[in-house]
Amino acid sequence: MADEHDSDRTEDPTHKRLDEAHERGDVVKSQEVSTWFVIGGGALMLAAFSGSMSGGLTTTFRGFIANSHQIPVDGRGLIALTARIEREVLAAVALPFAVLVVAALAGNLIQHWLVWSTDPIKLKFSKISPLAGLKRLFSAQALANFAKGLVKLAVIGSVMVALLWPQRHRLEGLVQTDILGTLLITRALSLDVLAAVVAVLFLVAAADYMFQYRQWFQRQKMSLREMKDEFKQTEGEPIVKGKIRQLRQARARRRMMAAVPKASVIITNPTHYAIALQYDRGMEAPVRVARGVDALALKIRDVAGEHSIPIVENPPLACALHAAVEVDQEIPAEHYKAVAEIIGYVMKLRRTAGRAQP
């Protein structure tokens, strides 16, 4: 069943899926990259600090040996001597040790940023299940690690043989060489071997990272059903969204129709558009309180007729105001003149009607 479920995952993961994996602590991790950084840091430390480190320790211990007859070995003297040796050793190895720590951190940070997650340490049945353990033991990851180990042993062994075999006569003569000469030869050969090992492990680390990324990306792939479920969670059910949109539109229409009786004039494009404008003394500019097209425009006209609101036909102005002005917004300045003429005409009609009444 698990294989069938995995075979359904044919779609590339979404950003949300990748973010969730990162939060769970499921990130791309190649141990070979970390190992390469540590070994590279060790090679750098040996090349840069071995001389100063050995020189400092040599001077310290040479002084101890030369003045050994003057060093007190009673209780307090022995404690002081031990503390001094510890300080000297720590001072000599502090910087190289810091280089190794930085290299170890860089080996992880270059693959991914710090992840704070408790998910990997949670108790899960799959972690203690013998069957799950056997599956992991014979998984593609385990086989890849086994093959990778054999390749590393073969390649690094071959490189070391190729470097040291031409030096075999020189190595045989070390038994007759003084200590200083032995140390210098050993240091030079060690640097050559480390440089070759670092070069080989770089290729191994690059290949392993690509393999680990591919395995991780395959784990994050999604089935079509998972993508649909995620879309529903993030975007909502299309039917529900449609219902919500309809409810919002219905509320907006009711609000507009409630504002129509407050309008001063309705400007229409006889059958298609209806724009309700409100203007009272003291307002800087007329405000559009409602607009409608076709059926809604007809309803606005009906409400205007019920409340004796003047209706003025002006197709160009109706179309322009419908496209340029939102509800409850003032009309643009370029329409002031045309609207002012209509408002003036409506106010004149009202004054005339008022005088005509007994």
Side-chain angles (χ1 to χ4, degrees), residues 41-55 92 95-97 99 187:
L44 177 63
M45 179 194 69
L46 183 62
F49 305 114
S50 60
S52 59
M53 184 171 60
S54 61
L95 187 56
F97 182 76
V99 171
R187 178 177 179 272

Side-chain angles (χ1 to χ4, degrees), residues 145-159:
N145 290 336
F146 179 73
K148 182 175 58 182
L150 292 180
V151 171
K152 284 169 59 178
L153 286 175
V155 173
I156 293 176
S158 300
V159 169

Side-chain angles (χ1 to χ4, degrees), residues 68-176:
S68 59
H69 60 284
Q70 298 179 358
I71 299 175
V73 292
D74 56 355
R76 291 185 176 179
L78 186 59
I79 292 175
L81 176 63
T82 303
R84 182 178 177 185
I85 292 176
E86 290 177 352
R87 288 195 299 271
E88 295 289 343
V89 171
L90 287 175
V93 303
L95 187 56
F97 182 76
V99 171
L100 289 179
V101 171
V102 171
L105 292 175
N108 288 279
L109 293 178
I110 199 172
Q111 299 181 73
H112 57 79
W113 292 110
L114 292 176
V115 179
W116 303 100
S117 175
T118 59
D119 191 75
I121 62 176
K122 288 181 179 178
L123 181 61
K124 296 180 180 178
F125 179 75
S126 60
K127 294 182 179 179
I128 59 176
S129 169
L131 182 60
L134 287 175
K135 288 183 178 180
R136 288 194 297 269
L137 185 62
F138 295 101
S139 64
Q141 181 71 41
L143 293 176
N145 290 336
F146 179 73
K148 182 175 58 182
L150 292 180
V151 171
K152 284 169 59 178
L153 286 175
V155 173
I156 293 176
S158 300
V159 169
M160 293 182 66
V161 170
L163 287 174
L164 296 179
W165 183 253
Q167 304 291 334
R168 61 187 184 279
H169 300 298
R170 190 180 182 186
L171 294 173
E172 291 173 357
L174 289 180
V175 295
Q176 301 177 354

Side-chain angles (χ1 to χ4, degrees), residues 25-38:
D26 186 3
V27 294
V28 184
K29 178 67 181 295
S30 170
Q31 192 60 42
E32 297 303 323
V33 174
S34 302
T35 301
W36 182 80
F37 269 86
V38 172

Side-chain angles (χ1 to χ4, degrees), residues 201-272:
L201 289 184
F202 174 79
L203 300 178
V204 174
D208 185 65
Y209 182 82
M210 294 174 64
F211 174 78
Q212 296 296 339
Y213 181 84
R214 182 177 179 277
Q215 293 291 100
W216 173 81
F217 194 80
Q218 287 294 122
R219 288 199 307 270
Q220 309 310 321
K221 280 197 169 184
M222 306 171 67
S223 65
L224 289 174
R225 181 176 182 82
E226 288 174 331
M227 295 196 72
K228 290 179 180 178
D229 292 341
E230 181 180 300
F231 176 79
K232 291 176 182 178
Q233 293 175 0
T234 55
E235 301 294 335
E237 288 278 5
I239 298 177
V240 175
K241 288 182 66 179
K243 289 291 185 183
I244 293 174
R245 185 164 54 249
Q246 291 176 2
L247 290 173
R248 289 175 177 171
Q249 291 174 351
R251 284 198 298 266
R253 284 196 295 268
R254 287 196 297 269
R255 189 167 58 250
M256 283 196 308
M257 299 311 298
V260 170
K262 304 176 184 178
S264 303
V265 65
I266 308 296
I267 301 176
T268 65
N269 174 14
T271 57
H272 293 293

Side-chain angles (χ1 to χ4, degrees), residues 5 12 17 32 35 56 62 96 108 114 122 130 152 197 216 285 304 310 317 320 322 325 347-348 353 358:
H5 179 66
D12 290 343
R17 179 68 167 239
E32 297 303 323
T35 301
R62 180 179 293 169
N108 288 279
L114 292 176
K122 288 181 179 178
K152 284 169 59 178
V197 168
W216 173 81
L317 182 59
H322 184 276
V325 189
M347 294 177 68
K348 182 179 179 180

